[in-house]
PDB file of all heavy atoms in Angstrom:
ATOM      1  N   ALA A 444     174.219-160.356 123.924  1.00 95.00           N
ATOM      2  CA  ALA A 444     173.202-160.417 124.979  1.00 95.00           C
ATOM      3  C   ALA A 444     172.331-161.666 124.818  1.00 95.00           C
ATOM      4  O   ALA A 444     172.005-162.340 125.803  1.00 95.00           O
ATOM      5  CB  ALA A 444     172.342-159.157 124.927  1.00 95.00           C
ATOM      6  N   ARG A 445     172.015-161.989 123.564  1.00 91.00           N
ATOM      7  CA  ARG A 445     171.127-163.142 123.313  1.00 91.00           C
ATOM      8  C   ARG A 445     171.782-164.456 123.719  1.00 91.00           C
ATOM      9  O   ARG A 445     171.124-165.355 124.231  1.00 91.00           O
ATOM     10  CB  ARG A 445     170.737-163.175 121.822  1.00 91.00           C
ATOM     11  CG  ARG A 445     169.610-164.129 121.500  1.00 91.00           C
ATOM     12  CD  ARG A 445     169.210-164.040 120.036  1.00 91.00           C
ATOM     13  NE  ARG A 445     170.311-164.254 119.120  1.00 91.00           N
ATOM     14  CZ  ARG A 445     170.814-165.453 118.801  1.00 91.00           C
ATOM     15  NH1 ARG A 445     170.292-166.553 119.316  1.00 91.00           N
ATOM     16  NH2 ARG A 445     171.822-165.546 117.964  1.00 91.00           N
ATOM     17  N   VAL A 446     173.105-164.563 123.521  1.00 92.00           N
ATOM     18  CA  VAL A 446     173.788-165.811 123.893  1.00 92.00           C
ATOM     19  C   VAL A 446     174.343-165.731 125.324  1.00 92.00           C
ATOM     20  O   VAL A 446     175.060-166.627 125.765  1.00 92.00           O
ATOM     21  CB  VAL A 446     174.911-166.196 122.888  1.00 92.00           C
ATOM     22  CG1 VAL A 446     174.331-166.410 121.497  1.00 92.00           C
ATOM     23  CG2 VAL A 446     176.030-165.157 122.832  1.00 92.00           C
ATOM     24  N   GLY A 447     174.005-164.648 126.045  1.00 96.00           N
ATOM     25  CA  GLY A 447     174.359-164.530 127.453  1.00 96.00           C
ATOM     26  C   GLY A 447     175.833-164.249 127.705  1.00 96.00           C
ATOM     27  O   GLY A 447     176.389-164.669 128.731  1.00 96.00           O
ATOM     28  N   MET A 448     176.488-163.516 126.771  1.00 97.00           N
ATOM     29  CA  MET A 448     177.914-163.199 126.956  1.00 97.00           C
ATOM     30  C   MET A 448     178.113-161.705 127.167  1.00 97.00           C
ATOM     31  O   MET A 448     177.370-160.883 126.619  1.00 97.00           O
ATOM     32  CB  MET A 448     178.730-163.637 125.727  1.00 97.00           C
ATOM     33  CG  MET A 448     179.168-165.092 125.774  1.00 97.00           C
ATOM     34  SD  MET A 448     180.141-165.509 124.308  1.00 97.00           S
ATOM     35  CE  MET A 448     181.767-164.886 124.746  1.00 97.00           C
ATOM     36  N   ASP A 449     179.142-161.377 127.936  1.00 97.00           N
ATOM     37  CA  ASP A 449     179.553-159.993 128.085  1.00 97.00           C
ATOM     38  C   ASP A 449     180.042-159.486 126.705  1.00 97.00           C
ATOM     39  O   ASP A 449     180.704-160.236 125.979  1.00 97.00           O
ATOM     40  CB  ASP A 449     180.695-159.956 129.112  1.00 97.00           C
ATOM     41  CG  ASP A 449     181.339-158.598 129.187  1.00 97.00           C
ATOM     42  OD1 ASP A 449     180.709-157.707 129.762  1.00 97.00           O
ATOM     43  OD2 ASP A 449     182.460-158.436 128.635  1.00 97.00           O
ATOM     44  N   VAL A 450     179.711-158.231 126.366  1.00 97.00           N
ATOM     45  CA  VAL A 450     180.047-157.695 125.040  1.00 97.00           C
ATOM     46  C   VAL A 450     181.551-157.780 124.757  1.00 97.00           C
ATOM     47  O   VAL A 450     181.978-158.200 123.668  1.00 97.00           O
ATOM     48  CB  VAL A 450     179.544-156.232 124.905  1.00 97.00           C
ATOM     49  CG1 VAL A 450     180.191-155.538 123.715  1.00 97.00           C
ATOM     50  CG2 VAL A 450     178.033-156.199 124.763  1.00 97.00           C
ATOM     51  N   GLU A 451     182.375-157.387 125.749  1.00 97.00           N
ATOM     52  CA  GLU A 451     183.831-157.388 125.518  1.00 97.00           C
ATOM     53  C   GLU A 451     184.351-158.813 125.324  1.00 97.00           C
ATOM     54  O   GLU A 451     185.216-159.061 124.473  1.00 97.00           O
ATOM     55  CB  GLU A 451     184.568-156.680 126.666  1.00 97.00           C
ATOM     56  CG  GLU A 451     184.371-155.163 126.677  1.00 97.00           C
ATOM     57  CD  GLU A 451     184.634-154.496 125.318  1.00 97.00           C
ATOM     58  OE1 GLU A 451     185.565-154.891 124.601  1.00 97.00           O
ATOM     59  OE2 GLU A 451     183.860-153.574 124.965  1.00 97.00           O
ATOM     60  N   ASP A 452     183.831-159.764 126.104  1.00 97.00           N
ATOM     61  CA  ASP A 452     184.253-161.166 125.955  1.00 97.00           C
ATOM     62  C   ASP A 452     183.843-161.700 124.584  1.00 97.00           C
ATOM     63  O   ASP A 452     184.581-162.442 123.929  1.00 97.00           O
ATOM     64  CB  ASP A 452     183.618-162.051 127.040  1.00 97.00           C
ATOM     65  CG  ASP A 452     184.186-161.735 128.422  1.00 97.00           C
ATOM     66  OD1 ASP A 452     185.229-161.072 128.492  1.00 97.00           O
ATOM     67  OD2 ASP A 452     183.549-162.144 129.413  1.00 97.00           O
ATOM     68  N   PHE A 453     182.644-161.314 124.150  1.00 98.00           N
ATOM     69  CA  PHE A 453     182.116-161.764 122.855  1.00 98.00           C
ATOM     70  C   PHE A 453     182.995-161.236 121.719  1.00 98.00           C
ATOM     71  O   PHE A 453     183.377-161.984 120.811  1.00 98.00           O
ATOM     72  CB  PHE A 453     180.678-161.248 122.715  1.00 98.00           C
ATOM     73  CG  PHE A 453     179.904-161.833 121.556  1.00 98.00           C
ATOM     74  CD1 PHE A 453     179.643-163.190 121.466  1.00 98.00           C
ATOM     75  CD2 PHE A 453     179.392-160.995 120.555  1.00 98.00           C
ATOM     76  CE1 PHE A 453     178.903-163.713 120.403  1.00 98.00           C
ATOM     77  CE2 PHE A 453     178.658-161.512 119.497  1.00 98.00           C
ATOM     78  CZ  PHE A 453     178.408-162.878 119.428  1.00 98.00           C
ATOM     79  N   ARG A 454     183.374-159.954 121.815  1.00 98.00           N
ATOM     80  CA  ARG A 454     184.247-159.359 120.790  1.00 98.00           C
ATOM     81  C   ARG A 454     185.637-160.005 120.822  1.00 98.00           C
ATOM     82  O   ARG A 454     186.227-160.279 119.769  1.00 98.00           O
ATOM     83  CB  ARG A 454     184.384-157.847 121.016  1.00 98.00           C
ATOM     84  CG  ARG A 454     183.105-157.097 120.707  1.00 98.00           C
ATOM     85  CD  ARG A 454     183.302-155.594 120.887  1.00 98.00           C
ATOM     86  NE  ARG A 454     182.040-154.892 120.684  1.00 98.00           N
ATOM     87  CZ  ARG A 454     181.888-153.575 120.802  1.00 98.00           C
ATOM     88  NH1 ARG A 454     182.920-152.821 121.117  1.00 98.00           N
ATOM     89  NH2 ARG A 454     180.703-153.014 120.601  1.00 98.00           N
ATOM     90  N   ALA A 455     186.145-160.238 122.027  1.00 98.00           N
ATOM     91  CA  ALA A 455     187.487-160.830 122.157  1.00 98.00           C
ATOM     92  C   ALA A 455     187.514-162.233 121.547  1.00 98.00           C
ATOM     93  O   ALA A 455     188.485-162.610 120.875  1.00 98.00           O
ATOM     94  CB  ALA A 455     187.905-160.870 123.626  1.00 98.00           C
ATOM     95  N   ALA A 456     186.436-162.980 121.754  1.00 97.00           N
ATOM     96  CA  ALA A 456     186.376-164.343 121.200  1.00 97.00           C
ATOM     97  C   ALA A 456     186.338-164.285 119.670  1.00 97.00           C
ATOM     98  O   ALA A 456     186.996-165.088 118.980  1.00 97.00           O
ATOM     99  CB  ALA A 456     185.144-165.065 121.746  1.00 97.00           C
ATOM    100  N   ALA A 457     185.589-163.321 119.134  1.00 97.00           N
ATOM    101  CA  ALA A 457     185.514-163.171 117.669  1.00 97.00           C
ATOM    102  C   ALA A 457     186.880-162.770 117.120  1.00 97.00           C
ATOM    103  O   ALA A 457     187.321-163.252 116.069  1.00 97.00           O
ATOM    104  CB  ALA A 457     184.453-162.139 117.297  1.00 97.00           C
ATOM    105  N   ALA A 458     187.574-161.877 117.824  1.00 98.00           N
ATOM    106  CA  ALA A 458     188.899-161.408 117.389  1.00 98.00           C
ATOM    107  C   ALA A 458     189.896-162.566 117.366  1.00 98.00           C
ATOM    108  O   ALA A 458     190.696-162.695 116.429  1.00 98.00           O
ATOM    109  CB  ALA A 458     189.392-160.299 118.310  1.00 98.00           C
ATOM    110  N   GLU A 459     189.830-163.407 118.375  1.00 98.00           N
ATOM    111  CA  GLU A 459     190.776-164.521 118.492  1.00 98.00           C
ATOM    112  C   GLU A 459     190.623-165.522 117.337  1.00 98.00           C
ATOM    113  O   GLU A 459     191.599-166.083 116.856  1.00 98.00           O
ATOM    114  CB  GLU A 459     190.491-165.237 119.824  1.00 98.00           C
ATOM    115  CG  GLU A 459     191.658-165.993 120.387  1.00 98.00           C
ATOM    116  CD  GLU A 459     191.304-166.549 121.757  1.00 98.00           C
ATOM    117  OE1 GLU A 459     190.781-165.790 122.595  1.00 98.00           O
ATOM    118  OE2 GLU A 459     191.520-167.754 121.942  1.00 98.00           O
ATOM    119  N   ARG A 460     189.383-165.700 116.865  1.00 96.00           N
ATOM    120  CA  ARG A 460     189.117-166.641 115.762  1.00 96.00           C
ATOM    121  C   ARG A 460     189.501-166.053 114.404  1.00 96.00           C
ATOM    122  O   ARG A 460     189.567-166.768 113.413  1.00 96.00           O
ATOM    123  CB  ARG A 460     187.605-166.949 115.695  1.00 96.00           C
ATOM    124  CG  ARG A 460     187.063-167.862 116.767  1.00 96.00           C
ATOM    125  CD  ARG A 460     185.650-168.348 116.389  1.00 96.00           C
ATOM    126  NE  ARG A 460     184.687-167.278 116.127  1.00 96.00           N
ATOM    127  CZ  ARG A 460     183.922-166.702 117.064  1.00 96.00           C
ATOM    128  NH1 ARG A 460     184.014-167.084 118.322  1.00 96.00           N
ATOM    129  NH2 ARG A 460     183.065-165.754 116.752  1.00 96.00           N
ATOM    130  N   ASN A 461     189.695-164.734 114.335  1.00 98.00           N
ATOM    131  CA  ASN A 461     189.861-164.063 113.043  1.00 98.00           C
ATOM    132  C   ASN A 461     191.334-164.033 112.608  1.00 98.00           C
ATOM    133  O   ASN A 461     192.204-163.763 113.433  1.00 98.00           O
ATOM    134  CB  ASN A 461     189.316-162.627 113.163  1.00 98.00           C
ATOM    135  CG  ASN A 461     189.214-161.939 111.823  1.00 98.00           C
ATOM    136  OD1 ASN A 461     190.224-161.580 111.232  1.00 98.00           O
ATOM    137  ND2 ASN A 461     188.016-161.780 111.334  1.00 98.00           N
ATOM    138  N   PRO A 462     191.619-164.302 111.326  1.00 98.00           N
ATOM    139  CA  PRO A 462     193.013-164.278 110.871  1.00 98.00           C
ATOM    140  C   PRO A 462     193.760-162.990 111.195  1.00 98.00           C
ATOM    141  O   PRO A 462     194.955-163.038 111.483  1.00 98.00           O
ATOM    142  CB  PRO A 462     192.895-164.473 109.350  1.00 98.00           C
ATOM    143  CG  PRO A 462     191.659-165.266 109.184  1.00 98.00           C
ATOM    144  CD  PRO A 462     190.711-164.781 110.265  1.00 98.00           C
TER     145      PRO A 462
END
Side-chain angles (χ1 to χ4, degrees):
R445 192 176 55 79
V446 299
M448 274 181 81
D449 171 74
V450 165
E451 289 310 321
D452 291 345
F453 191 62
R454 290 182 184 179
E459 204 175 311
R460 286 194 304 272
N461 190 288

